Amino acid sequence: MEKSLLSGSTALLVLKLLEDGPMYGYQMMESLRGRSGNVFELKAGTLYPLLHTLENRGFVESYYEEGGSGRERKYYRLRPEGLEELKRQNVQWQQYRQAMEKILGGAFCETC
Amino acid sequence: MEKSLLSGSTALLVLKLLEDGPMYGYQMMESLRGRSGNVFELKAGTLYPLLHTLENRGFVESYYEEGGSGRERKYYRLRPEGLEELKRQNVQWQQYRQAMEKILGGAFCETC
DNA sequence: AATGATATATAGATTATCTATATAAGGAGG
DNA sequence: CCTCCTTATATAGATAATCTATATATCATT
């Protein structure tokens, strides 16, 4: 897929994943790829710097933990500020999507 | 709106506008702003270089014409190659949108 | 022991947007 | 007439977000 389309929505996607509970970076890449049906191929070089930024802004916090396999991983957990940011970005994305559909003429029902 | 969300979809929007007939640059900015409900605020510094790129790639062609008001404007018309590109980019956007909705959980009906 | 998948990190390149600035024509109001 | 605002196009430089490439280390498999 066109990489530039993803631009601006990666933070939203990561925050959304963390809404369901803590995850570690590599797991997020796999999860996004799987849940999107192989459409999203978020690269490591994009994700890890993004996670550091989200942590610096106070949206997530990290901690090291062994996840059963005996190997230590760096988990990220959503903070209350991150949940607020998730809501804000979700609203913005819905606005953007609806505007796109007004131009492209893709909406078939009112609720979508 | 977040400018980065628009990233990657401006060419699609411009090609879509030209599907209805030739337009000039300033007109496209006004049209996009109006039809999107003031969500899209595509700036001149973004649009004009984009139009030059689309022309260089053979997707559109330009010509000067007086549009009734006596003032000459630079019109752009969609070329067959541009229509093909429009279809390609539309498919890509629908894929992207559907993937986003799989993660965000926003789809309420099958057809949307 | 070697290879490949897992896991995190960072520097540098690429690309697409924006801001700021320049130019010029046309209309409105003083 | 002159000034200001809107219309209209153009480009250079700044900013931001992605990618590629590279580095390191652990674990599983052959």
Side-chain angles (χ1 to χ4, degrees), chain B residues 31-76:
Chain B
S31 182
L32 280 177
R33 193 159 52 79
R35 286 169 64 171
S36 73
N38 293 317
V39 174
F40 294 149
E41 299 273 4
L42 190 57
K43 304 300 161 55
T46 305
L47 178 61
Y48 292 111
L50 172 63
L51 287 171
H52 303 156
T53 304
L54 290 175
E55 186 163 32
N56 287 334
R57 290 188 186 162
F59 296 146
V60 303
E61 60 188 357
S62 64
Y63 58 95
Y64 289 93
E65 199 177 67
E66 289 180 30
S69 63
R71 187 170 179 180
E72 199 172 58
R73 276 136 183 168
K74 191 173 182 181
Y75 281 87
Y76 288 88

Side-chain angles (χ1 to χ4, degrees), chain A residues 16-100:
Chain A
K16 183 67 187 179
L17 285 186
L18 293 179
E19 203 187 20
D20 295 338
M23 292 180 82
Y24 58 94
Y26 197 87
Q27 192 181 6
M28 295 180 204
M29 288 190 284
E30 296 292 295
S31 182
L32 280 176
R33 193 160 53 78
R35 285 169 65 171
S36 73
N38 293 316
V39 174
F40 295 149
E41 299 272 5
L42 189 57
K43 304 301 160 55
T46 305
L47 178 62
Y48 291 112
L50 171 63
L51 287 172
H52 303 157
T53 304
L54 291 176
E55 186 163 31
N56 287 335
R57 291 188 186 164
F59 296 145
V60 302
E61 60 188 357
S62 65
Y63 59 96
Y64 288 93
E65 199 178 68
E66 289 180 29
S69 63
R71 185 170 179 180
E72 201 173 56
R73 278 138 181 168
K74 190 173 182 180
Y75 282 87
Y76 288 88
R77 141 173 59 226
L78 194 63
R79 301 219 305 134
E81 293 85 349
L83 185 58
E84 289 308 305
E85 179 68 11
L86 169 57
K87 288 176 189 167
R88 274 192 297 273
Q89 292 203 17
N90 201 348
V91 167
Q92 288 219 318
W93 196 85
Q94 297 303 334
Q95 267 195 328
Y96 162 68
R97 199 209 70 204
Q98 281 164 22
M100 283 296 288

